Amino acid sequence: SKAINSITPSKMIQALIPHAANKTALIRAKVAKFVTMAITNKLGASSLKLKDFAKIFQILVALSADANPDARKYAKSAVVAVFG
C-alpha cells in the first residue's frame, strides 16, 4: 500500500510490465493486483497516458487468461473498471 502512494501509477506500471510474463504464478498475480490498484485509483487512472493504456490492455488481456485464478480475477476486474 505504501508503494502505491509513493510512486506514480505510470512509473509503477512501467516497473511491473516485465514481470507480467514471469514464470511464477504468484508474481503474475501480484502484478495483476498492483496494476489493478494503480488504474482503479481515481488519481492513478487520470494520470496515465494513452500509450500506457495500450500496454496495460495487452497485459490485462494476457493475465485474464492466466492459469492463476487470482491473476485472472484482478485482470478481469481491472478491464471492467477501466474499459467498461
Side-chain angles (χ1 to χ4, degrees):
S1 175
K2 283 189 175 192
I4 300 284
N5 295 327
S6 64
I7 188 170
T8 64
S10 183
K11 289 204 182 265
M12 182 173 63
I13 290 169
Q14 294 287 333
L16 291 171
I17 286 173
H19 304 288
N22 192 291
K23 66 179 183 176
T24 306
L26 180 61
I27 292 174
R28 293 190 310 272
K30 294 295 183 181
V31 167
K33 178 181 178 179
F34 285 114
V35 167
T36 301
M37 290 172 73
I39 63 176
T40 56
N41 178 335
K42 288 182 185 178
L43 177 62
S46 65
S47 70
L48 293 173
K49 298 176 182 139
L50 187 58
K51 67 178 183 173
D52 293 330
F53 278 110
K55 291 177 189 174
I56 292 167
F57 186 70
Q58 289 176 341
I59 290 170
L60 293 176
V61 166
L63 289 171
S64 67
D66 196 90
N68 185 298
D70 288 334
R72 288 194 309 265
K73 176 182 77 173
Y74 285 118
K76 288 176 183 177
S77 67
V79 168
V80 169
V82 174
F83 300 105

